[in-house]
Amino acid sequence: MKDRLKSIIEHSLTALIEQGKLPPLDLPEVKVERTKDKSHGDFACNIAMVLARSAKMNPRQIASLLVDSFSDVDFITAVEIAGPGFINFTLSSDTTQQIVKEVLDKADQFGRSTIGQGKSVQVEFVSANPTGPLHVGHGRGAAFGSAVSSLLKEAGFSVHREYYVNDAGRQMDILATSVWLRYLEACGQQLVFPSNGYRGAYVFDIAAQLKNEFGDKFVKSVGDVFTDIPDDEPQGGDKELHIDALIAKANTLLGEAAYREVFNAGLTSILSDIRADLSDFGSDYDEWFSERSLMESGVVDQVIEQLKQADMLYQEQGAWWFKSTEFGDEKDRVVVRDNGQTTYFASDIAYHLNKYQRGFDTVIDVWGSDHHGYIPRVKASLAAMQQDTERLKVLLVQFAVLYRGSEKVAMSTRSGEFVTLRELREEVGRDAARFFYVLRSADQHMDFDLELAKSQSNDNPVYYVQYAHARVCSVFRQLTERGMSWDKAAGEAELNKLVASHEQDLLTMLARYPEVIESAATNYTPHLVAHYLMDLARDFHTYYNAHQFIIDDVALSQARLTLIAAVRQVITNGLTVLGVSAPEVM
RNA sequence: GCGCCUGUAGCUCAGUUGGAUAGAGUGUCAGUUUCCGAAACUGAAGGUCACAGGUUCGAUUCCUGUCAGGCGCGCCA
């Protein structure tokens, strides 16, 4: 509808210029927007005010010329000039009413558009290191990432959801060593656990599993393990040096093959836990991409070679540095350490190049906002390889600050003091958790009060929306119980009976849904959908309290039932986009 | 110190890319069931849009500065 109005206005403008009634001028994009106040009609256009300056004319005068030149169209009943020069359009009630038919015809397709033109988008989200279970901080990225993916799909993009598995690197070695040390303890040995190791309960579980499966295969004497290891921090040493030495010792004592077995035990256990967790949370993926595969296939080395050839790397103090400052980064970044190991950043360059080479039109990274400083160097690396950095979009998600009542909860994976995503899901439910996460815009800090979410979960807005859906279902159940039925065709033929103000509000609300989806998709803002659903639910509840649906006037009754059937459909569609269920009974 | 983000009702947050009288939830107060589900509805109260300038027909929105908070600034990931 916006587009139709737009083209009418554009035609009139060009006609007026040709007729010499308006001076020749460059036409800006015509914007037609929904009004926020009903008294201003359904749509408004501000073009007259926008043009006033360049045309050197009074905006109301321009508006008046435009309005006079509009040809009559059947779907508009009133065109008015208001305020400083707005042109307000009022739709015919017949046009407004037909949205019900459209919703029911398109059903779960209602809201789909083709603005994505089938272009391919890759969305990478969560990608937490497999060094421990997902915690509530990851939940927001999971809910946001999959909601954005669903939105893009609705908008006509071809979407590929991906999880980047950091199954290589130092953090994984720390995990492997932590598992091994816990295993040694499980085998009856006494030791002082490194302060920088992973202390979570799941490490004990993996160690116990290891012992079950392999017996004493990996047992070495603790005396040997801690020989020639520099002091840990509590003993006045450096915790990083301490843990690195332990990793090296694990490698030499166990040998490469056995070390790899311990390493993989930790990796596969945690990764399968993460996969199950995300799946249960309703965040599904098309691909799990392994960092190790990039290293083992030599892609990382190739990329480094490519950058060397392009004179983008230089050697200093034994390390290889990437000249990211030449592309706007604050400082140059190391890609190969002096000990010969490639950095995480080197893998990431290779990974992003790989994404580009797979041919995605747009590559989206969903990152925690604490990684924002990372954006310039990744973009720099792509620029250095003559890639179009505009294809990469990084969406930052602020972490939810967790509260227990009024007390802030300290979060640390290493110390094992965190609330897992699984715990959250079990306590507040998947629907409430997902809805809560996407209720706020992603770039906004969010306070997540566990006590509130747990103890007063009935106050969560998700129930308000779901209840509206269940209520519609309930009406149809009631209808059946009374031996009556809903006749869709009859209802659609009687839509002109829907003239009450509550009905008009609902009709307008339904018509807005595709616009909301489009806006939410193009701006990567799923919270708009959550807010829309709350608005729609409110209008429905208000309507419910003001009018009866099952009444003696058969024609009106069928029209109303048809309307609320459409409401039910749109609630279902919207909740589905957010990964939230639409229960028939609550 | 530098960079990015944020500052809107008591609290948690929206605000249609610069538009008309700044909104919702929650909390507080006052009401609504012989009626399809009261997990609902109606009404009231609640604001110097952090502060000060600037840009223009018009600013919560854009620019500058100040103040306050968060995050980042490793041969970690």
Side-chain angles (χ1 to χ4, degrees):
Chain A
M1 186 55 64
K2 278 185 186 176
D3 293 335
R4 292 166 79 175
L5 291 171
K6 232 187 256 185
S7 72
I8 289 173
I9 295 165
E10 281 164 356
H11 278 105
S12 292
L13 280 173
T14 48
L16 286 171
I17 291 171
E18 280 170 19
Q19 295 161 18
K21 292 181 183 170
L22 279 178
L25 31 81
D26 291 334
L27 292 182
E29 197 199 346
V30 175
K31 282 182 197 162
V32 175
E33 274 157 3
R34 281 200 182 269
T35 55
K36 16 180 175 179
D37 191 331
K38 272 185 289 187
S39 66
H40 298 140
D42 293 302
F43 292 93
C45 182
N46 67 348
I47 191 70
M49 289 175 291
V50 174
L51 292 177
R53 169 171 285 265
S54 52
K56 297 197 171 88
M57 288 170 71
N58 181 313
R60 287 192 69 107
Q61 195 185 343
I62 299 176
S64 163
L65 282 171
L66 273 167
V67 169
D68 289 343
S69 71
F70 289 154
S71 49
D72 279 351
V73 281
D74 55 357
F75 56 91
I76 300 290
T77 52
V79 181
E80 285 170 352
I81 300 167
F86 289 103
I87 303 173
N88 293 337
F89 300 90
T90 303
L91 297 181
S92 73
S93 53
D94 180 59
T95 304
T96 314
Q97 287 151 354
Q98 286 312 306
I99 192 67
V100 171
K101 195 171 174 330
E102 189 185 335
V103 170
L104 294 176
D105 284 349
K106 292 187 176 167
D108 61 349
Q109 303 288 309
F110 181 70
R112 284 252 165 113
S113 70
T114 55
I115 53 170
Q117 301 172 317
K119 286 183 181 166
S120 61
V121 184
Q122 187 225 29
V123 185
E124 182 214 326
F125 58 105
V126 184
S127 298
N129 283 350
T131 53
L134 297 176
H135 55 71
V136 293
H138 299 120
R140 197 173 185 189
F144 177 76
S146 48
V148 166
S149 300
S150 300
L151 278 169
L152 290 171
K153 209 164 183 181
E154 288 293 297
F157 290 91
S158 164
V159 180
H160 186 83
R161 301 158 212 234
E162 190 158 311
Y163 189 113
Y164 181 54
V165 183
N166 294 114
D167 50 6
R170 181 162 171 269
Q171 291 306 320
M172 286 306 295
D173 282 319
I174 294 176
L175 175 77
T177 302
S178 300
V179 168
W180 186 50
L181 293 174
R182 290 304 189 199
Y183 163 87
L184 292 179
E185 286 180 332
C187 293
Q189 305 210 50
Q190 301 276 320
L191 56 86
V192 180
F193 197 79
S195 60
N196 213 18
Y198 286 99
R199 315 183 77 91
Y202 59 93
V203 180
F204 291 90
D205 296 341
I206 298 166
Q209 211 179 312
L210 204 60
K211 189 183 168 209
N212 268 337
E213 197 173 336
F214 294 97
D216 59 1
K217 179 174 178 182
F218 307 113
V219 171
K220 304 289 169 188
S221 98
V222 164
D224 290 345
V225 174
F226 284 87
T227 303
D228 295 331
I229 299 291
D231 279 345
D232 199 359
E233 194 168 81
Q235 285 72 48
D238 184 321
K239 62 181 177 180
E240 307 290 351
L241 292 177
H242 181 72
I243 195 84
D244 279 338
L246 283 172
I247 292 168
K249 188 61 77 69
N251 263 293
T252 50
L253 287 179
L254 285 169
E256 196 178 327
Y259 179 80
R260 181 58 71 190
E261 279 184 294
V262 174
F263 185 103
N264 283 343
L267 172 64
T268 54
S269 167
I270 290 172
L271 196 56
S272 64
D273 178 75
I274 288 174
R275 293 172 86 128
D277 205 9
L278 284 171
S279 176
D280 291 344
F281 190 56
S283 293
D284 292 305
Y285 288 88
D286 299 303
E287 184 165 353
W288 294 71
F289 193 97
S290 156
E291 177 187 5
R292 208 201 289 175
S293 76
L294 279 176
M295 305 183 76
E296 289 175 352
S297 65
V299 178
V300 175
D301 293 335
Q302 283 168 29
V303 164
I304 289 168
E305 197 52 41
Q306 186 181 339
L307 287 171
K308 277 184 192 169
Q309 295 296 325
D311 195 27
M312 289 297 164
L313 299 187
Y314 62 91
Q315 202 163 19
E316 191 176 291
Q317 293 178 344
W320 284 94
W321 298 71
F322 167 56
K323 300 178 180 174
S324 47
T325 46
E326 290 192 8
F327 303 92
D329 196 8
E330 288 175 2
K331 52 175 292 191
D332 293 341
R333 310 289 175 176
V334 171
V335 288
V336 185
R337 295 206 266 161
D338 60 1
N339 64 8
Q341 284 187 335
T342 56
T343 60
Y344 174 89
F345 178 45
S347 298
D348 233 14
I349 296 173
Y351 181 41
H352 280 87
L353 185 63
N354 170 279
K355 290 184 182 191
Y356 272 46
Q357 286 170 342
R358 277 188 274 165
F360 297 111
D361 294 307
T362 303
V363 169
I364 293 177
D365 289 354
V366 177
W367 289 350
S369 62
D370 55 336
H371 284 67
H372 72 258
Y374 210 75
I375 299 172
R377 78 190 73 165
V378 172
K379 292 230 175 197
S381 72
L382 289 167
M385 293 182 294
Q386 273 93 47
Q387 302 294 325
D388 176 14
T389 56
E390 292 299 307
R391 273 166 73 192
L392 173 66
K393 293 204 169 27
V394 180
L395 306 182
L396 296 176
V397 178
Q398 294 281 347
F399 279 125
V401 182
L402 207 57
Y403 286 84
R404 218 179 263 289
S406 58
E407 205 167 322
K408 208 168 179 172
V409 179
M411 297 268 290
S412 163
T413 312
R414 209 67 64 77
S415 67
E417 291 170 22
F418 54 85
V419 178
T420 64
L421 181 58
R422 182 169 283 120
E423 285 166 356
L424 176 76
R425 185 155 39 75
E426 284 165 357
E427 300 205 42
V428 315
R430 165 180 153 176
D431 286 342
R434 284 192 81 95
F435 200 86
F436 200 99
Y437 274 128
V438 297
L439 194 55
R440 280 39 167 133
S441 65
D443 58 7
Q444 194 73 28
H445 300 103
M446 186 175 114
D447 287 349
F448 201 130
D449 185 343
L450 281 171
E451 295 302 319
L452 190 77
K454 288 174 188 170
S455 66
Q456 301 186 0
S457 61
N458 278 359
D459 289 340
N460 193 303
V462 69
Y463 295 108
Y464 185 77
V465 177
Q466 289 181 319
Y467 181 51
H469 181 272
R471 253 185 160 177
V472 176
C473 295
S474 176
V475 170
F476 284 100
R477 279 194 300 273
Q478 186 65 224
L479 192 68
T480 309
E481 278 174 27
R482 296 190 196 178
M484 292 176 272
S485 63
W486 169 46
D487 184 338
K488 177 168 171 276
E492 287 178 351
E494 301 289 350
L495 291 175
N496 60 355
K497 299 277 196 301
L498 301 176
V499 292
S501 70
H502 290 128
E503 289 160 347
Q504 294 293 317
D505 291 346
L506 265 180
L507 290 166
T508 303
M509 191 62 78
L510 292 177
R512 273 187 52 206
Y513 181 71
E515 298 163 18
V516 170
I517 292 295
E518 183 176 322
S519 172
T522 53
N523 294 302
Y524 313 118
T525 48
H527 74 277
L528 293 182
V529 179
H531 283 272
Y532 167 82
L533 287 171
M534 290 170 66
D535 290 343
L536 175 60
R538 185 182 317 107
D539 279 359
F540 170 74
H541 286 309
T542 299
Y543 181 44
Y544 184 98
N545 278 56
H547 295 280
Q548 289 279 114
F549 309 128
I550 305 173
I551 49 176
D552 294 338
D553 182 339
V554 176
L556 181 58
S557 179
Q558 290 297 342
R560 287 179 172 173
L561 289 169
T562 306
L563 171 61
I564 65 172
V567 170
R568 174 174 62 182
Q569 180 69 59
V570 172
I571 290 176
T572 301
N573 292 5
L575 286 176
T576 302
V577 164
L578 300 181
V580 176
S581 70
E584 296 185 8
V585 182
M586 294 173 67

